[in-house]
Amino acid sequence: MHEAETYLNKKYSTLVVKYSWCFLLLGLVICIALGLSAVLARDLPNFNDPTKGFVPRGKNTLTSRLFVLERVKNELDKQIASAKITNKTKTSSTPSSNNNDNDDDDDDDLDYEDNINESILLEDYKTNLNSCAFLSNNDDKCLTNEQVYKLLNNKSDLIKFSKIVEHQINKPNEQMCTSIDLNRHYEVYFESSNKSSQNLLTIDNLLSLCKKQNELMKLFQLDSTCHYTLPQMVAYFSNKTDCSQLNENDITYFISRIQRCHQLYDTGLIRLAGLKRYRQKPIELFEYDSCFRYNFTFLTLEYLLDKTFLSTNRTYFTAMWFLKPKKSKKTLNGDETHTANSAYDLFIRHFYQNQKFDDGSTKISGLNFLDIRISTAMKQIRADMFFVILAISLIVGVTIIYLRSITVALMTNICVMFSFACAYFTYKIALGIDLFPYINLMATFILIGISCDNVFVIFDAWYSEKLDIYNEARLQNRTVEFYGKLTRQQEQQYRRDCDYTMSVIQKKLLNKNSNQQNNNHNANEIDDDDNEEDEYFDRIKNPDLIRMMKVNDEQMIQMMGGLLRHAAASVFVTSFTTSAAFFTNMITRIAYVQLFGLFMGFCILFNFLMSITMIVSFVIVYEKVCEPLSARLGLFNHFPSIFDKTLSTLTRLSHAIFTVYIPRLIIKFRYILIVIFFICGIIGLIIVFYHPKLSPPKSRRYQFFQLTHPFERFEYQMRDQFLSYINEDKDNVTNPMLIFIFGIEDTDLVHPFYPEDSKINQNKQNLIYNQNIDFYDPKVLRWFDTFLKDLNRSDLFINVQQTYSQWLTIGQLLRGFTTSDKKSLISSNDKEFFVPSTRNQTIDAMERLFRLFKGSNQFQSANANDNIRIGFLPDKITKQIRAFLFTVNMNVTFNSYSVQNAYYNKLQNYFEKCLEKIKLEGGSNEHVYKQVKHGWFVSPQFLFYDLMREVIRGTYTSLIFSMLFALVVLLLTSGNVLITIYAMTTITFIIADTVAVFVLCGWELNILETIIIIMSVGLSVDFTVHYGVAYIKADWKKNQAHIKISLNQLNSHDNNNKKLNEQKSLENENMFQIIEKKQQYGNLQRFRRIKNSLIRVGSAVFVAGFTSFLAGLSMAPSKLTSFSQMGFFLMLIMFISWLFATWFFLPLLSFIGPIDQFGDIPFGKLCRCGKSSTSPIVEAGSLNDNEENINVERKLNDEQSV
């Protein structure tokens, strides 16, 4: 097998060296062709709706059920609309009466008498003491008029307005300014600029707000529409038309009137009255009262004052609402106003980083313009593409400093772009996926770091192989040729290298001649010389001399073979483990996460292919063309001397750090380093999995911008300060609706990667009906009746009685259509559902029932009636019932994921037990079980729960699979069990500590965090793998072999007497001494392997991590949270990965790392690129093991003392 690997390595190396231009140009042509075809053949990505793919879809997801439910609703709406058209002639017979009714409703709100007689209103109140003031939403609870009057301290406060105020409230061609819907308006939130006067209910702050109110009205061009502001409302309560006329008494009067309604507001009646303003009215005494008149108290408490007012009489925040007109308007240029684009332009021009509205008294604290937060974020993506240019510029600078080459830096970035282009072609053309999430753009930042990592490792391996050629030539006293004329400093350096090499060889010869005479005295000196030589050969890597050294094609083939053996293995492992970590995102059911993982995985694989083809070919082209050209023209010699000195100093410092100082520190403090980083890893695991641990988000909101952004301040701060949004959120999660559906499969026909129905379902039906269920079967109807009764008895649900009452009403109608005997109808039990005795009777009764509903005006408006809780869906053609659905309310408040998860599990178990019960009864009921077993349930509130459930499940599942894949790849590539175990331990600690930092920073497990955690597996592998592969393939006997060969050429010495002495000394040693020497020999090998690993990849790993760190740093200033968080992640994962790989993994190897063949597995050879690289010359002169072991103890002690 080794011969086959060597043959393939040599063959490919020969092809690359001889046909490097062909490899490079062919790759360029293919990449350009693929990229252009993808751009020209398909539309460019559209980021206007980033929510596409943001929810789980697929089999067994609750969100897919919601999509099916939406289609059921649409089908019902179509049939209701069809029924309206059919009965148009009937409904058109009374249009005038309906219009008159509507006019009367409007007039009731428009025309109030100026002369209100309180005594008459009190008389009316006394005659209706026990009547309900307002019915609750459930229509089963109410406060009587007497109870309401007591809550008002048995006093009335009738409020009157002047005609001017009435005119301001009544906007022509618009609506009465008495209500607000929380949907697409201009909302501007203010707070005090003066910390000493944070209360906005002061005369100075109100006058400041009044002035800004007028400015905003002109700015928004909304003079003719309703607006609600705190200074205007204070003026209304004092019957003033202009807020600039306010004084201290008006504020006191306003507070006392609002606080008078405090107790009434706590009962929920004022909110109920405000929400049902145009549906029901209280008695006139309350209608004219200041707590109810024009809903001003309701609007003030919920929309204009913050939640602290009722308890403190202060408000620290206030909102200004400007309602957009019902009909769009156009500017003189023909552009429509009050659209998302116009609102965005207003925001950028007047509010974004503009201190215009800060006058020292009040300032803007949050904004919400027509809900353009998402669309604004998508526009920000285009602006943040600048950071890609910044990242590329930083990488170019680092590459120039490290490799001293502009062309290498440009080639690195070209490979990044081509990798992106090829992945885009595969994504768009090969797979035909149209949905392209905006987070895919982050692939450029990640690719920059990965590509730099590969390029630096490849070029470092190339120069290391070139250094071997240089050292070999000096040791064999051969003349080294250079591409150009050496400078004076380079010439001096070359002479010093040659002179030192000859002195080392001569010194070795003298020491060997005198070794037998003064063996004990000179042993330590010999060992000191050995270490000095090793250290010198480690530090001799002069970049100018090595780069300028001329090599022929045969040497290039030899160097390319070594490069592929060392660098290709590391690049292979890092690329495949990283891509596998991204591909495991496909395990999740969230298209947003799946598509990012898919695209990112393709990007990394294409980058790997380019690294082993285009980059290695470019290495040859660079060696043949760029290096000679640079040497002859002296490009770097034309730079200022300070620049050249700086680069030389940095290079020497880098070599000294990674070849001398870091190995010394690792070897000397290995035990301390292992303990410290092991403890840090354990602490990270505790933080992630025990306390405070990674948890799902508590809020349903998704952050697009930084929290200082005015849109995010509204979303994350202002919404929690105003009762309108607080109560809306509370209503949504308290006793949410649950829908049971039978007759339709819960299969979402839309593929998550293709959310547009028209593109994937052109010839398919929208719904899949269950053909097994028969809704005309009396036994099935009886089971539905039994099931509803069971729901009513369960403590998991509420308001089931309302649903069952409608069910009984349907049963009564069926009884009337089926039974002709009036006496039996009168004597029938109305509390039991009537089921016709035969299927034919049921069919006939149902048809008559539908004809009745079609002719009913109430049914035709049922889609707007919240009280309809039962529905049948007939077939459009056959008119037979195909589906049955009904709603109940869940007896739970969905205020956290844990509550949702616990309740859903109970609900699932309950439904399964109900089905299992009928199955166990057997007999005829088994037939019913087969019909109803495909029923299912869903709730709109399951959307957030399903998202979080899939995020948690997908995160941990993908994490496990990516770790397993990394384990397999490491095992096959390294071929060593111990290296794999140590590497996986290091990777686990890296991930744990990285995620632990996120947890301590307050991050929660959302979609972006899921992607980041899964990414951490792939990105944390790189540095550890580079060190591990370099350790396994280390040529730890290389320098000694070169010296021995040269000595044999200079002088042949007879060592027979020495060998006899050694054998005698070994015979006299006991077992403990032998074990001790073996351990010392193992330590010596480990230390040299560690040093060799750092020499080969130490600086490359550091610079690669530094470039990825810079790529993350370039993303940090982004105003988009996803970009800035990804940048923070890149910086953190690179920093922690380098720390653990260098200061934990390497000390672990120096302590208990494998030596020789220990821990190797046979099948690892099938996947490894090759064994430890040793040149033919080195193999010819391998060391004698017995001779190497003679002074091992002294060498070990000396290296440890270093």
Side-chain angles (χ1 to χ4, degrees), residues 48-189:
N48 291 333
D49 186 7
T51 58
K52 285 183 179 179
F54 214 72
V55 294
R57 295 187 81 163
K59 190 175 181 181
N60 299 325
T61 60
L62 298 175
T63 310
S64 292
R65 292 183 175 183
L66 286 173
F67 282 109
V68 175
L69 177 65
E70 184 180 2
R71 294 191 184 92
V72 173
K73 180 182 179 299
N74 294 336
E75 191 66 28
L76 283 170
D77 291 341
K78 289 179 182 177
Q79 297 197 17
I80 291 174
S82 176
K84 288 183 179 181
I85 295 173
T86 304
N87 297 278
K88 185 176 181 180
T89 55
K90 296 181 182 180
T91 56
S92 61
S93 60
T94 58
S96 59
S97 61
N98 292 339
N99 291 338
N100 291 336
D101 293 341
N102 293 335
D103 291 341
D104 292 340
D105 290 340
D106 292 340
D107 292 340
D108 289 339
D109 282 321
L110 296 181
D111 300 326
Y112 288 100
E113 297 179 2
D114 293 336
N115 299 321
I116 302 173
N117 194 326
E118 185 174 359
S119 60
I120 297 176
L121 298 180
L122 287 172
E123 287 295 330
D124 179 53
Y125 157 72
K126 291 178 181 178
T127 58
N128 296 282
L129 289 176
N130 296 321
S131 299
C132 280
F134 281 96
L135 287 175
S136 66
N137 290 328
N138 300 332
D139 294 338
D140 57 357
K141 297 178 181 178
C142 71
L143 288 176
T144 64
N145 292 325
E146 184 178 11
Q147 291 173 324
V148 171
Y149 200 60
K150 285 183 179 179
L151 290 173
L152 295 175
N153 299 322
N154 293 319
K155 293 180 181 179
S156 59
D157 179 22
L158 304 182
I159 188 171
K160 299 180 181 180
F161 297 114
S162 64
K163 290 183 178 181
I164 299 178
V165 173
E166 292 279 358
H167 179 74
Q168 290 179 350
I169 296 172
N170 176 26
K171 298 292 183 180
N173 301 323
E174 286 293 331
Q175 62 186 13
M176 284 292 294
C177 297
T178 57
S179 64
I180 305 176
D181 59 325
L182 300 179
N183 184 30
R184 299 185 66 81
H185 296 299
Y186 295 95
E187 304 171 43
V188 185
Y189 294 84

Side-chain angles (χ1 to χ4, degrees), residues 749-788:
L749 296 175
V750 178
H751 195 281
F753 294 175
Y754 311 91
E756 299 294 336
D757 295 357
S758 59
K759 294 185 178 181
I760 196 68
N761 282 329
Q762 293 179 351
N763 300 319
K764 294 182 181 179
Q765 57 180 344
N766 290 329
L767 298 171
I768 299 178
Y769 295 102
N770 182 8
Q771 304 296 334
N772 297 324
I773 191 167
D774 182 8
F775 291 101
Y776 301 105
D777 188 346
K779 293 181 180 179
V780 173
L781 293 178
R782 290 192 185 95
W783 183 83
F784 284 142
D785 181 64
T786 303
F787 183 58
L788 282 168

Side-chain angles (χ1 to χ4, degrees), residues 448-614:
I448 287 173
I450 294 174
S451 182
C452 286
D453 183 14
N454 295 340
V455 170
F456 291 157
V457 169
I458 288 173
F459 269 89
D460 257 30
W462 178 258
Y463 287 130
S464 294
E465 295 296 327
K466 203 171 182 181
L467 174 64
D468 291 345
I469 301 293
Y470 178 76
N471 290 336
E472 177 186 333
R474 291 185 303 100
L475 289 169
Q476 294 181 1
N477 200 21
R478 287 192 284 109
T479 303
V480 177
E481 297 183 5
F482 297 94
Y483 287 122
K485 185 178 180 180
L486 297 180
T487 63
R488 182 179 177 182
Q489 292 179 348
Q490 292 170 347
E491 187 72 32
Q492 292 176 353
Q493 179 64 43
Y494 176 64
R495 290 200 187 99
R496 282 197 299 269
D497 290 344
C498 294
D499 294 342
Y500 184 82
T501 303
M502 295 305 300
S503 67
V504 168
I505 295 172
Q506 293 175 1
K507 190 175 183 180
K508 267 297 222 185
L509 180 61
L510 293 174
N511 286 335
K512 288 188 66 178
N513 290 333
S514 60
N515 190 33
Q516 290 182 348
Q517 300 176 3
N518 302 303
N519 186 46
N520 295 330
H521 177 71
N522 295 330
N524 292 331
E525 295 181 3
I526 295 172
D527 295 337
D528 291 339
D529 293 338
D530 289 341
N531 286 303
E532 184 182 352
E533 294 154 12
D534 290 342
E535 184 174 306
Y536 177 78
F537 280 103
D538 292 341
R539 299 175 64 179
I540 204 171
K541 191 176 180 181
N542 187 296
D544 291 333
L545 291 178
I546 302 305
R547 289 162 64 94
M548 294 180 63
M549 187 184 73
K550 188 175 182 180
V551 290
N552 55 36
D553 285 355
E554 184 179 350
Q555 290 173 324
M556 286 187 188
I557 293 173
Q558 178 184 339
M559 292 162 59
M560 180 57 65
L563 182 150
L564 293 175
R565 281 193 296 271
H566 287 87
S570 295
V571 172
F572 170 80
V573 178
T574 57
S575 298
F576 272 79
T577 50
T578 306
S579 62
F582 283 107
F583 281 133
T584 55
N585 287 352
M586 297 296 294
I587 297 174
T588 67
R589 298 194 186 103
I590 304 172
Y592 190 88
V593 179
Q594 289 175 311
L595 293 177
F596 175 73
L598 184 68
F599 182 75
M600 195 67 234
F602 282 133
C603 286
I604 295 171
L605 289 182
F606 279 112
N607 190 265
F608 166 71
L609 292 177
M610 291 180 188
S611 297
I612 62 173
T613 55
M614 293 177 64

